[in-house]
Amino acid sequence: MFRATFAAAWGRKRRLAATALAVLLGVAFLAATLVLGDSARAGFATVFAEANAGTDAFVRSASRFTAAEEPARPPVDAALVAAVAAVDGVAAAAPTVEGTGQVLDARGRTIGGNGPPTVAAAWIAEPALTGWALAGGRPPTAPGEVVLDRRTAADAGAGLGGTVTVLVPRPVAATVVGIATFGGRDSLGGTTYAAFALEEAQRLLLGSTTLVSGVAVAAEDGVGQDELVRRLGEVLPAGVEAVSGAALTREQRADIEGDFLGFFTAALTAFAGVALLVAAFSIFNTFSILVAQRTAESALLRALGASRRQVLASALAESALVGVG
């Protein structure tokens, strides 16, 4: 019976091979989707952890709203920077200004923006409170100066001393005075990064030099994040809150997973599900045809003395060959 089964399978090898390929592609697509999604989550988790490694607390508006399909918070008074810096246990405090800005290449085409954020921000001079570091050039100090991440600068074809246009959203021409890397990498997970001097970023992104997006805070040795948040909460006005660096990292991870990564993984999983469904229909149709074609063959085997169990086992053996293949 086994020799007869293998001989029958060999006689239909092309059809069985095509069925095995359908199974392989469907399973591979689904496995690749799950691996890619998990790898992306792990990668962003590492990036956020590195970005907030020196930030023990972050002061920001307590309000949260959705603008342009992305969560955002209103700015806070820039005077909070001095108030935060004066709190006992604070080693350093730096104002942060962040918004959206797209860099144009030499042909006027936008760089990035197909998933990862396009960030425009104020350059943070305190190394402990930022993951960005200069790989060349100097920080921006005046209007019309910008620091780009190395990958964006390369895509724009702009080196040190070159000129680029940044949409914030209106076009702003700026001279590249510095090239930055994030943790030694050319970019932050595909994010484009354009950093201006503080007052220039406030004017372009917030519309006022009296506002900031938030305040990043580093604690003195021996002061824990929760204790620092408690001390900051005692001096902050209504409508402003302090969160720990660990809580900020968890929140950023949840935002990216619920927005970009969640949609990306769900879309790929849907395609993988379609591939598996097509494979299932292909397998069902193939074996329906094979069973119909083998009616006479099965009858002959039964006439020669094969039992019903042996005929069924023969069909199952062919199925196993497809699965193993």
Side-chain angles (χ1 to χ4, degrees):
M1 281 301 299
F2 282 111
R3 285 197 298 269
T5 299
F6 287 127
W10 182 254
R12 291 180 284 269
K13 55 184 178 294
R14 292 184 179 179
R15 181 172 292 170
L16 293 178
T19 304
L21 181 61
V23 175
L24 175 64
L25 292 177
V27 174
F29 196 175
L30 180 59
T33 298
L34 297 176
V35 171
L36 180 61
D38 289 343
S39 298
R41 288 187 180 90
F44 276 106
T46 300
V47 164
F48 290 136
E50 291 179 1
N52 300 324
T55 302
D56 294 302
F58 190 76
V59 176
R60 65 189 184 184
S61 171
S63 303
R64 178 183 170 100
F65 58 89
T66 299
E69 299 182 357
E70 293 184 3
R73 294 178 184 272
V76 297
D77 193 339
L80 281 173
V81 179
V84 167
V87 172
D88 183 36
V90 172
T96 65
V97 177
E98 287 193 356
T100 300
Q102 285 192 288
V103 180
L104 303 183
D105 63 15
R107 297 184 179 181
R109 299 173 300 187
T110 57
I111 299 172
N114 298 316
T118 54
V119 176
W123 178 258
I124 297 178
E126 181 62 46
L129 294 174
T130 179
W132 293 101
L134 286 175
R138 61 173 178 83
T141 57
E145 296 182 345
V146 69
V147 169
L148 300 179
D149 65 275
R150 182 181 286 165
R151 179 173 296 173
T152 299
D155 291 342
L160 291 174
T163 300
V164 296
T165 298
V166 186
L167 304 180
V168 288
R170 67 180 180 85
V172 174
T175 301
V176 180
V177 297
I179 303 296
T181 56
F182 187 89
R185 296 185 290 271
D186 289 348
S187 72
L188 173 58
T191 297
T192 65
Y193 178 74
F196 300 92
L198 176 60
E199 289 190 0
E200 178 77 343
Q202 289 174 302
R203 183 175 61 83
L204 294 174
L205 302 174
L206 302 180
S208 172
T209 58
T210 64
L211 299 173
V212 294
S213 299
V215 185
V217 186
E220 294 179 348
D221 292 341
V223 179
Q225 291 190 358
D226 293 337
E227 174 61 19
L228 181 62
V229 168
R230 186 190 66 77
R231 295 182 186 182
L232 290 171
E234 294 176 352
V235 302
L236 295 179
V240 179
E241 66 178 7
V243 295
S244 67
L248 181 64
T249 300
R250 290 193 298 270
E251 183 180 292
Q252 290 171 334
R253 288 178 57 184
D255 285 342
I256 198 70
E257 289 181 11
D259 185 16
F260 168 64
L261 280 183
F263 173 78
F264 180 68
T265 304
L268 288 182
T269 302
F271 281 115
V274 171
L276 286 175
L277 184 62
V278 171
F281 275 114
S282 174
I283 294 168
F284 176 79
N285 289 334
T286 297
F287 278 98
S288 295
I289 294 172
L290 290 179
V291 170
Q293 291 177 341
R294 290 181 56 179
T295 301
E297 179 182 326
S298 299
L300 178 59
L301 290 173
R302 290 281 285 160
L304 292 174
S307 65
R308 179 178 300 178
R309 179 177 297 179
Q310 286 176 317
V311 173
L312 178 60
S314 175
L316 293 176
E318 283 195 37
S319 303
L321 287 175
V322 172
V324 172

